[in-house]
Amino acid sequence: MGSPKSTSMDNGVNRTTVRVRFGDTDPYGIVYFVSYFRYCHRAIEEFLRACGLKPEETFKNVQEGFGLPIVEAWGRFRRPTKYGELLRIETSIQEIRAKAIIFRFEFYPETGRELVAEGTANLVAIDAAWRARELPERLKASLPPGKSNS
Amino acid sequence: MGSPKSTSMDNGVNRTTVRVRFGDTDPYGIVYFVSYFRYCHRAIEEFLRACGLKPEETFKNVQEGFGLPIVEAWGRFRRPTKYGELLRIETSIQEIRAKAIIFRFEFYPETGRELVAEGTANLVAIDAAWRARELPERLKASLPPGKSNS
Amino acid sequence: MGSPKSTSMDNGVNRTTVRVRFGDTDPYGIVYFVSYFRYCHRAIEEFLRACGLKPEETFKNVQEGFGLPIVEAWGRFRRPTKYGELLRIETSIQEIRAKAIIFRFEFYPETGRELVAEGTANLVAIDAAWRARELPERLKASLPPGKSNS
Amino acid sequence: MGSPKSTSMDNGVNRTTVRVRFGDTDPYGIVYFVSYFRYCHRAIEEFLRACGLKPEETFKNVQEGFGLPIVEAWGRFRRPTKYGELLRIETSIQEIRAKAIIFRFEFYPETGRELVAEGTANLVAIDAAWRARELPERLKASLPPGKSNS
């Protein structure tokens, strides 16, 4: 066997695949909008790993004195998807600011090009007192540049 | 005992209370942003019930030939909240369009006035073929007018 | 408004009501078995509160040097229940041992007597090194006696 | 890229890997027992796929007139696991009866042999009226024999 290998990074875009699972739908078998946000978090985790960053040391890091909470999120759900489907998430950095990162997510059928859903998530760097602070240098150095930043 | 009575409607605003439960937080004990979206759906359900509408006949209604999926959602998470806390959700209709309803959510500590989180959810009426259609008259007649609509 | 008041304690049995929510079902609209276990945890929380114990100081208590993880759980799901239904959970202590508590759960329709589902959860007291230890005296003194214990 | 390839079948045992995700833990960073049951369902799905059975046509199949709900589940949680860890699930059929299948699950660290958690899930074949019926022949023919059955 081996570790899951359903993720790849290419030109600042991470591609990862999620399967719609049994508990992910609404009572009518359509993916519940809340599940998309859960998939987005998973996509951030895979994006970070592809950059050599461990999520469990990045969302909260007591040693280095920072946290990285999600302070805003948005999603648009364009087409219904169903239990059992495979979705490809394309994740990129929409913007890097001094104290924040904005991720962008696009959901497609595993092998298709029709946009199923899209979204964003804003993460802000905070210190131990939960005040906004500069993004840690180590973090910025590991991430690809945001589109609006280049 | 009796039914839960943690919900009330006043001047177009529904107030309902949610408890932060064991599985609702991130690994650091702070409410996971995804849980807020789940709370939002629950708030819509309570809003509908307070209007005399059964959620299980409103999100999808085969007899009357309509559905009401969430096609867009947004949230901002201003302050961390923790396992065990009680949150008051104030839910109102931000806008009613010919084919859509936009709900607005504000989260407060149970007895406080400090905004903890806020969000919106856009629901669109669809027919059996998943095409946008006018909101059913029965539905519109049961809902309080949206703020932008009055 | 006020706090939710959907819980009561009577002769060692705590009754609490849960509503089947939008994300709680399988793709066919029937409550997902995993959701019952989530409801069980909620029932334990309400049971503890009815005994004057704060769940957030009971499942893990750094000051007093103990934790109370769930180490075993079982459930039987007898009848399908659906989105929107109200379920009454009757929670009692099946057994108190020197180092463990076993809770028992019975699920009924809100106003009926037909058993919908049942389950148990075993909690073990541990110390900071995650070794089994005696139940804290304060805890035992607050709980009603288990059935097998009386 | 391609489909996820984190699953394999060997001598009646399916091995699949799950990552502990952000929303899967309790407030103290330890995997919530409810998440294990969710992982078990995922393991059943991968088991079925490895047998050439589509889960979305197996848990409920209107054409062939059967359903396969989970009517009982049990789990024991031996060691704490944390956010970010990879777990290997070894899934086998413990028993096949005329009308039921019992799956058995063992959880290990991705590359270790120390049992982290274990569990079972009982699935019963039902007809459209939700009455127990014989397992469909097509299903039985696709599954490896249960241990107690050989």
Side-chain angles (χ1 to χ4, degrees), chain C residues 28 30 32-34 37-38 40-41 55-56 59-60 70-80 130, chain D residues 28 30 32-34 37-38 40-41 55-56 59-60 70-80 130:
Chain C
Y28 318 112
I30 301 301
Y32 185 32
F33 84 104
V34 172
F37 287 108
R38 203 156 45 75
C40 287
H41 198 283
E56 55 274 28
F59 292 116
K60 183 171 180 176
I70 292 178
V71 296
E72 192 170 343
W74 166 82
R76 183 180 290 151
F77 318 106
R78 294 171 168 274
R79 282 204 320 119
W130 210 269
Chain D
Y28 318 113
I30 301 301
Y32 184 31
F33 84 105
V34 172
F37 287 109
R38 203 156 44 76
C40 286
H41 198 282
E56 55 274 28
F59 292 116
K60 182 171 181 176
I70 292 177
V71 297
E72 192 168 344
W74 166 81
R76 183 181 290 150
F77 318 107
R78 293 171 168 275
R79 281 205 320 120
W130 209 268

Side-chain angles (χ1 to χ4, degrees), chain C residues 8-15 47 50-51 90-94 142-147 150:
Chain C
S8 72
M9 187 73 132
D10 180 30
N11 209 2
V13 179
N14 178 258
R15 289 176 184 77
F47 189 99
C51 297
E90 298 194 358
T91 307
S92 55
I93 293 184
Q94 181 171 296
S142 302
L143 296 171
K147 284 167 188 166
S150 55

Side-chain angles (χ1 to χ4, degrees), chain C residues 59-116:
Chain C
F59 292 116
K60 183 171 180 176
N61 194 314
V62 174
Q63 275 85 2
E64 302 182 31
F66 73 90
L68 206 61
I70 292 178
V71 296
E72 192 170 343
W74 166 82
R76 183 180 290 151
F77 318 106
R78 294 171 168 274
R79 282 204 320 119
T81 49
K82 290 184 179 164
Y83 170 54
E85 287 189 35
L86 278 171
L87 298 175
R88 183 180 79 248
I89 314 176
E90 298 194 358
T91 307
S92 55
I93 293 184
Q94 181 171 296
E95 194 181 339
I96 295 188
R97 299 180 189 158
K99 301 180 178 181
I101 309 169
I102 304 176
F103 283 99
R104 172 167 173 79
F105 313 94
E106 297 181 359
F107 291 78
Y108 299 96
E110 190 201 7
T111 55
R113 289 299 321 164
E114 189 185 7
L115 189 64
V116 164

Side-chain angles (χ1 to χ4, degrees), chain A residues 104-148:
Chain A
R104 172 166 173 78
F105 313 94
E106 297 182 359
F107 291 78
Y108 299 96
E110 190 201 6
T111 55
R113 290 298 321 162
E114 190 186 5
L115 190 63
V116 163
E118 61 189 317
T120 57
N122 302 22
L123 286 70
V124 166
I126 54 167
D127 62 17
W130 209 269
R131 280 174 311 225
R133 50 153 282 175
E134 304 281 308
L135 287 172
E137 280 306 315
R138 182 177 69 81
L139 196 67
K140 284 178 77 169
S142 302
L143 295 171
K147 284 167 187 166
S148 328

Side-chain angles (χ1 to χ4, degrees), chain A residues 28 30 32-34 37-38 40-41 55-56 59-60 70-80 130, chain B residues 28 30 32-34 37-38 40-41 55-56 59-60 70-80 130:
Chain A
Y28 318 113
I30 302 301
Y32 185 30
F33 84 105
V34 172
F37 287 109
R38 202 156 45 77
C40 287
H41 198 282
E56 54 274 28
F59 292 116
K60 182 171 182 177
I70 292 178
V71 296
E72 192 169 344
W74 167 82
R76 183 181 290 150
F77 319 106
R78 293 171 167 275
R79 281 202 321 119
W130 209 269
Chain B
Y28 317 113
I30 301 300
Y32 184 30
F33 84 104
V34 172
F37 288 108
R38 202 155 47 75
C40 287
H41 198 283
E56 55 274 27
F59 291 116
K60 181 170 181 177
I70 292 178
V71 296
E72 193 169 341
W74 166 82
R76 184 181 289 150
F77 319 106
R78 292 169 170 277
R79 282 203 320 118
W130 209 268

Side-chain angles (χ1 to χ4, degrees), chain D residues 33-62:
Chain D
F33 84 105
V34 172
S35 299
Y36 279 109
F37 287 109
R38 203 156 44 76
Y39 300 158
C40 286
H41 198 282
R42 180 170 163 163
I44 297 175
E45 296 181 26
E46 294 308 325
F47 190 99
L48 294 176
R49 271 194 197 93
C51 297
L53 295 163
K54 291 188 178 181
E56 55 274 28
E57 299 173 356
T58 305
F59 292 116
K60 182 171 181 176
N61 194 313
V62 174

